[in-house]
Amino acid sequence: MWNLNDIVRISYKSQYTYEIEFDNGLMGEVDFSKWVNRGAVFEPLRKIAFFKMTAIEGGAITWPNGADIAPETIYEEIENTQTTCMHTQAVSGTRK
């Protein structure tokens, strides 16, 4: 659960994916491809060169054109991905 945590590190991985780290140690990869088609402000992010021009401002990920994604949205995305992975591993018996 997000508790006013800030993003402290972002690292580009590939395509529309960044590895994100929060100030409480939560870390994971987030695929931003679903956001690049959500309105005019995100349209420039379709170009990978522009997509890579991220910054951290106020604990959120931002781009030079003013597009941003709130930290709580990204936090929940990472939590949901990790929960899904843990459930898949438990069901398949590969959990360590």
Side-chain angles (χ1 to χ4, degrees):
M1 185 171 125
W2 184 70
N3 192 23
L4 302 176
N5 300 99
D6 289 335
I7 295 169
V8 294
R9 188 182 62 81
I10 55 177
S11 176
Y12 179 77
K13 300 307 270 181
S14 65
Q15 290 296 323
Y16 296 110
T17 303
Y18 275 99
E19 183 178 72
I20 312 290
E21 183 177 357
F22 281 84
D23 60 3
N24 68 346
L26 180 74
M27 186 174 11
E29 290 187 5
V30 176
D31 179 358
F32 290 86
S33 61
K34 67 181 178 184
W35 282 287
V36 299
N37 293 312
R38 289 193 180 174
V41 72
F42 290 105
E43 190 173 322
L45 278 63
R46 293 179 191 167
K47 295 183 179 178
I48 296 294
F50 190 85
F51 177 76
K52 290 180 175 182
M53 299 172 72
T54 56
I56 300 171
E57 292 182 21
I61 293 179
T62 64
W63 285 270
N65 69 332
D68 66 358
I69 300 177
E72 60 269 26
T73 301
I74 295 170
Y75 197 96
E76 289 174 10
E77 188 81 15
I78 293 171
E79 279 191 322
N80 290 340
T81 300
Q82 290 180 352
T83 300
T84 300
C85 289
M86 289 173 59
H87 175 73
T88 302
Q89 290 173 348
V91 169
S92 68
T94 60
R95 190 172 179 188
K96 295 180 182 181

